Each structure stands twice: as C-alpha cells, then as structure tokens.
Amino acid sequence: MLMFFYSNASEAEDIIIYIRDDVYEDYQAFVDGKDIATINDFQGKTVRRDVIDMILAQKALKLGGFNHSFKYIPGKLNFRNTKMLQQGKLLISFDSYWLSDANALESDIYISDAVIKKGEYVAGLYTSPKNKAALNIKKLEDLSRFTAVSTPKWRTDWQTLSQLPLKQLVAEDEWLSMARMVNLMWIDIIFMPFNSTKDKTFSMDKITLIPVENVAIKFDDSRHFVLSKKHPLGAQAFQAINIGLKKLREQKLITKAYTQAGFFVDRNKINILNN
C-alpha cells in the first residue's frame, strides 16, 4: 500500500508517497531511472504484480491528463493506509484492491475500472524449498494435509482460501511475516502471484519460496485502483485513471505487462485446483 501527504502546492511539486520497502526496492531496480510513460516492455528480474500495478497506475494517470509527479519514501507500512484513504490524506493506492475490499469503502473512495478482470487472478502455492511434502501437491484433496496463511483483511483471499480443504488457515496481517512463517516451515503454504523469475522462485533477504509445480488457485474477483473522495485531487485523478486504463486496455499493455511479469500464466499448462 502507498501513503500520500498533500500540501496545497503547484502541479510542479512532487506528491510524496510512502511505499513498502520491498516493493520500492524492486520498483526502483526495474524502472532504473526511466520515464514511466516510456516503459512498454515489462521483463526484468525484479518485476512482479505489485510493481506492475504501480507502473500501470502512473501510466494511466498520465494518459488521462493527470500531470502531477510522485516522490517515493520507503517505509514499513500496513493496513492503516485504508484509513488514510477514508480521511482524504491518501490520494490513491497504487497497489490495487480486490473489488470486495473496495466496495466496503465505497462511501469514501472512488473505484477505478478493473485493472485485473474477474477470473484473471491466478496464484501459485508457494512453500519452502525444503518442504518436500507440500511440493508434491497434485490435486485439491491433497490440501487437507497442509496449513496456509493469509489475512481476513483481504476479503477475497480469505473467503477463497476458507473454501479450500486445508488442514488449517492461519490469520496473520503482515505480509512479510506470512512469508517468513512459510520460509521457516511453521506454515506450509502461502498463496502468491507467480513471480517473473525463470522458475518463478521468490527471493527476498533471507526468504526463498518456490511454487508447487503445475498447480494454482483462482481468485474469482477483480482488482481496481482506489482513490479518496475526500482528497482535493481525488475526483480529477479518478477521471484521469479511468481514461488512461481504457487506453492501456486498447493498446493491450495491461495484459502484456502482467504476462511479462510472470503473473498471467498459460491456463492450458497449469491445474487450477478450485476450478
């Protein structure tokens, strides 16, 4: 999630955005100083779903005529950003929201057109490279021997995973803590977007997680950018991002971006367990 503080300033001044450390590092490494508007190829070691979200949101805003620029400050962030959106202190989350989560805030936010359409979101079953049993999962019934971790604050995730025949679904609100628990084999599985690396391995600091081969879970919801109705630039940014998303969709750049990032996978080559 991204946090933003607005001062009553000219368009020339940067909008300050606080961003989760690991996303910022991967975003910086991928963008490497390039103008976002010029990026039309999305292949790279550090590109992933949330990095693509950031890039597409900025491209869409620019295409829609929103000419403010952004300055990023990394930090350790959590769900307080939703409150910032509701209060008008946060203009936009560049990390897209599930529609079910966005609808719960609809009195305070604008919800953009879908950036990821319903049914397009397929996640891998990520586990520790040492968890040989979990790496052997082949079918839905196999999940009954394994634990998984997520948060009830992600409504679509929690509802989807609650319907799976898991041994146990553990609640943990901090994403990094979830990844660490699986890395340490305290929990068997975390459901994550597929990564852009050749073997789709996810690595960060001392954490290394790999997907169970040829299986996935479908999350049957769409994802959208959310913008604050109470922010002075909210209405302007909302209009701009929808214009831009339509143009990106027409240019087929949204599908291209998520595909090159490894997030969109060939459905013919993978077994979606909850189809």
Side-chain angles (χ1 to χ4, degrees):
M1 298 271 179
L2 308 177
M3 191 185 309
F4 150 91
F5 295 100
Y6 175 73
S7 60
N8 200 12
S10 70
E11 267 195 8
E13 292 190 4
D14 290 340
I15 292 173
I16 302 296
I17 291 179
Y18 290 83
I19 177 174
R20 206 176 76 201
D21 301 67
D22 61 293
V23 178
Y24 177 72
E25 288 172 12
D26 284 351
Y27 169 82
Q28 285 288 89
F30 175 71
V31 172
D32 194 25
K34 294 188 287 290
D35 180 354
I36 294 294
T38 68
I39 296 176
N40 293 312
D41 186 273
F42 306 91
Q43 299 177 85
K45 290 183 178 179
T46 62
V47 70
R48 49 185 167 117
R49 196 272 304 165
D50 29 19
V51 171
I52 293 298
D53 275 8
M54 285 184 66
I55 292 170
L56 291 178
Q58 290 174 83
K59 287 177 79 71
L61 286 166
K62 190 75 172 176
L63 283 170
F66 189 82
N67 294 315
H68 295 265
S69 55
F70 304 95
K71 179 180 178 182
Y72 300 103
I73 299 176
K76 297 190 181 300
L77 307 178
N78 55 32
F79 289 95
R80 69 178 182 270
N81 292 2
T82 295
K83 291 293 185 187
M84 301 289 284
L85 278 165
Q86 293 173 296
Q87 295 165 357
K89 296 176 182 178
L90 171 63
L91 171 64
I92 180 173
S93 172
F94 282 172
D95 187 2
S96 59
Y97 272 52
W98 289 119
L99 182 59
S100 58
D101 292 330
N103 281 339
L105 308 170
E106 64 180 343
S107 61
D108 297 316
I109 64 166
Y110 299 107
I111 303 171
S112 81
D113 294 338
V115 64
I116 300 171
K117 294 179 180 178
K118 185 175 181 178
E120 287 185 329
Y121 198 111
V122 172
L125 285 63
Y126 276 75
T127 189
S128 164
K130 299 176 182 177
N131 195 332
K132 303 303 180 187
L135 288 169
N136 232 4
I137 293 170
K138 305 291 184 191
K139 55 188 186 295
L140 187 65
E141 293 75 18
D142 293 341
L143 294 177
S144 63
R145 297 188 289 120
F146 300 101
T147 57
V149 61
S150 187
T151 172
K153 294 186 177 182
W154 297 335
R155 285 174 176 80
T156 296
D157 294 64
W158 193 257
Q159 181 179 2
T160 301
L161 302 184
S162 295
Q163 293 170 351
L164 299 177
L166 291 160
K167 180 179 180 181
Q168 184 183 9
L169 178 58
V170 176
E172 168 55 53
D173 289 344
E174 294 293 337
W175 183 86
L176 188 57
S177 295
M178 296 183 205
R180 284 175 175 152
M181 291 163 78
V182 177
N183 184 68
L184 293 168
M185 294 179 64
W186 297 347
I187 300 290
D188 293 307
I189 304 164
I190 182 172
F191 296 86
M192 289 171 49
F194 287 107
N195 207 23
S196 61
T197 53
K198 188 175 181 180
D199 59 0
K200 302 198 178 299
T201 296
F202 173 81
S203 297
M204 185 178 65
D205 298 330
K206 297 179 180 179
I207 297 171
T208 298
L209 302 174
I210 64 174
V212 180
E213 284 189 14
N214 302 321
V215 296
I217 291 292
K218 181 176 72 175
F219 292 91
D220 201 24
D221 198 0
S222 54
R223 290 185 72 90
H224 306 251
F225 296 111
V226 298
L227 306 94
S228 175
K229 288 182 177 178
K230 295 180 181 177
H231 190 279
L233 295 176
Q236 180 188 343
F238 172 59
Q239 184 178 22
I241 202 165
N242 275 343
I243 292 170
L245 284 172
K246 184 178 180 181
K247 290 180 179 179
L248 290 173
R249 185 75 65 187
E250 289 170 350
Q251 296 165 8
K252 302 189 185 306
L253 274 180
I254 294 176
T255 299
K256 179 183 179 181
Y258 287 124
T259 300
Q260 288 188 326
F263 171 55
F264 282 176
V265 295
D266 187 342
R267 302 293 185 92
N268 296 317
K269 296 181 179 179
I270 203 157
N271 178 22
I272 300 176
L273 300 181
N274 60 337
N275 247 354

